């Protein structure tokens, strides 16, 4: 099982954002290791995963897993518009050494509960016995995953390990803090509250550029640390977030371009 402070890793791109920058993955992972993190989530919302092709996502899975090399847990987001693509990506991630697989509710078309259960269960089966996490982020997918869907998945997917919940405020996170499932907080300002209510850790976009700050907030989940991260995130969100994170990484010495 994964736990602790994880970066929602950016995806290094080149050629104006039209190609994956294979050579930049290693230096990025080295930076995250030096920052004291426990792991990363590749190709989530911060990693632009939904915009990449299936072959690109497979290659990036291999690159991130190889670069982590036991130093960090390498979780891989395999959510896709179609169940077929999510299954292919989940199967590949598990077969190639990912520590965990996460899947978001398919965006654009809102699935009903029955369809969501079928979608997540298919992806979970494809990666079993690798731990599987439901990725809840209503602002990105366009709808919230009903708690009942998660409860049903306990029976449908024995490898269901927990959720990443990127919603805010905390009242929207709390219903997903279910007994026996590990929850990772996405909103940095809620890390303290989440950890105090039993969360297993955080998967943070800020951790891509400020890993040491997020690691400290997870290990010492004070209100003050979470408030400081919330202020930092609000300042960052004044800019296009993905490019801003990559720019900050470059300033901090990581060989990565700003292309998105």
């Amino acid at each position: 099982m994964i736990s602790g402070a994880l970066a929602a890793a950016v995806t290094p791109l080149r050629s104006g954002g039209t190609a994956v920058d294979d050579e930049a993955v290693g230096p990025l992972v080295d930076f995250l290791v030096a920052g004291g993190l426990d792991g990363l989530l590749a190709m989530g919302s911060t990693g632009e995963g939904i915009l990449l092709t299936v072959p690109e996502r497979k290659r990036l899975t291999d690159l991130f897993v190889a670069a982590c090399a036991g130093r960090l847990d390498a979780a891989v987001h395999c959510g896709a518009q179609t169940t077929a693509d999510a299954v292919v990506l989940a199967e590949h991630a598990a077969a190639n050494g990912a520590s965990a697989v996460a899947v978001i509710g398919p965006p654009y078309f809102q699935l009903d509960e029955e369809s969501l259960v079928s979608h997540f269960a298919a992806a979970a089966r494809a990666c079993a016995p690798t731990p599987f996490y439901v990725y809840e982020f209503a602002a990105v997918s366009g709808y919230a995953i009903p708690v009942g869907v998660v409860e049903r998945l306990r029976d449908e997917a024995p490898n269901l390990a927990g959720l990443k919940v990127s919603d805010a405020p905390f009242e929207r996170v709390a219903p997903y803090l279910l007994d026996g499932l590990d929850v990772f907080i996405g909103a940095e300002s809620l890390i303290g509250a989440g950890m105090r209510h039993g969360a297993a850790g955080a998967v943070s976009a800020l951790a891509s550029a400020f890993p040491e700050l997020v690691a400290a907030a997870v290990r010492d989940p004070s209100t003050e640390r979470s408030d400081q991260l919330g202020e930092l995130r609000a300042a960052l969100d004044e800019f296009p977030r993905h490019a801003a994170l990559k720019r900050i990484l470059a300033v901090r010495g990581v060989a990565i371009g700003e292309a998105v």
Side-chain angles (χ1 to χ4, degrees):
M1 294 294 185
I2 58 176
S3 63
L6 283 72
V10 300
T11 294
L13 299 172
R14 57 179 175 80
S15 303
T18 62
V20 172
D21 186 353
D22 294 20
E23 300 301 318
V25 173
L28 171 61
V29 172
D30 290 343
F31 173 78
L32 300 178
V33 170
L37 295 177
D38 301 295
L40 61 80
L41 173 66
M43 292 172 287
S45 302
T46 302
E48 306 172 68
I50 207 76
L51 300 177
L52 302 169
T53 66
V54 168
E56 286 172 332
R57 294 175 74 173
K58 286 183 174 182
R59 187 165 83 256
L60 278 162
T61 293
D62 298 344
L63 290 168
F64 272 109
V65 168
C68 287
R71 301 179 298 165
L72 294 178
D73 283 323
V76 178
H77 173 240
C78 299
Q81 187 68 67
T82 68
T83 302
D85 282 351
V87 164
V88 166
L89 291 165
E91 184 175 41
H92 177 87
N96 289 274
S99 305
V101 165
V103 169
I104 200 168
Y108 196 82
F109 294 108
Q110 180 173 346
L111 302 187
D112 60 23
E113 291 197 21
E114 199 66 36
S115 297
L116 278 171
V117 171
S118 296
H119 178 81
F120 288 126
R125 285 193 298 271
C127 69
T130 298
F132 179 81
Y133 293 80
V134 171
Y135 182 6
E136 159 58 24
F137 196 0
V140 170
S141 62
Y143 55 96
I145 298 165
V147 173
V149 167
V150 182
E151 294 283 17
R152 287 180 61 186
L153 279 173
R154 291 181 190 263
D155 297 324
E156 297 279 346
N159 57 325
L160 175 66
L163 305 93
K164 181 201 172 185
V165 181
S166 292
D167 299 336
F170 188 71
E171 288 74 19
R172 294 175 61 189
V173 176
Y176 296 103
L177 290 164
L178 302 170
D179 288 342
L181 295 178
D182 291 338
V183 170
F184 290 83
I185 304 299
E188 290 85 4
S189 63
L190 301 180
I191 289 174
M195 297 301 292
R196 291 192 295 273
H197 284 81
V203 179
S204 156
L206 280 182
S208 258
F210 302 100
E212 69 284 2
L213 298 182
V214 174
V218 169
R219 286 160 195 156
D220 177 20
S222 66
T223 299
E224 180 181 15
R225 287 189 187 277
S226 295
D227 287 347
Q228 289 172 343
L229 287 178
E231 292 171 5
L232 180 58
R233 179 61 182 266
L236 183 77
D237 286 345
E238 293 292 320
F239 304 91
R241 173 166 54 92
H242 299 79
L245 286 168
K246 294 178 184 183
R247 173 61 178 158
I248 292 165
L249 281 163
V251 170
R252 299 199 69 185
V254 181
I256 186 171
E258 296 174 30
V260 295

